[in-house]
Amino acid sequence: MSTDTPPDRLASDPRSPFHDAEIMERGVGIRFNGVERDNVEEYCVSEGWIRVPVGKSKDRRGNPMTLKVKGEVIAYFREQQ
């Protein structure tokens, strides 16, 4: 099932219920408040937020520490070259 619209919510962490490997392979781009972002761990278009890593900090399980930032989120599929 292929569409031209990315999902409303997507996470890069495979343990998340919002992770979808097929869509991640296809390549999703995020524009946040008019700026192209390439370090987004998770996003939600309808709620208007993204999760980005905070420096090189890790939690006690070795996962990157993230910060939720609110604003205008636009998700799109990147062109395959």
Side-chain angles (χ1 to χ4, degrees):
M1 178 167 71
S2 178
T3 64
D4 291 333
T5 306
D8 177 58
R9 185 169 179 178
L10 185 64
S12 62
D13 184 5
R15 295 170 297 179
S16 171
F18 300 105
H19 178 75
D20 188 339
E22 291 177 15
I23 292 175
M24 293 299 291
E25 276 184 27
R26 187 171 173 190
V28 176
I30 301 295
R31 189 169 294 116
F32 182 70
N33 289 337
V35 178
E36 189 72 25
R37 301 293 299 255
D38 60 350
N39 63 342
V40 176
E41 295 284 327
E42 185 175 359
Y43 72 86
C44 183
V45 175
S46 63
E47 295 177 13
W49 57 263
I50 62 172
R51 268 195 199 278
V52 292
V54 180
K56 295 182 180 181
S57 309
K58 304 271 184 195
D59 66 8
R60 62 181 154 207
R61 293 177 190 92
N63 301 319
M65 299 211 35
T66 59
L67 179 69
K68 183 189 269 187
V69 185
K70 294 187 176 196
E72 180 187 15
V73 179
I74 300 171
Y76 60 92
F77 285 116
R78 295 184 179 166
E79 295 297 321
Q80 300 293 337
Q81 291 142 337

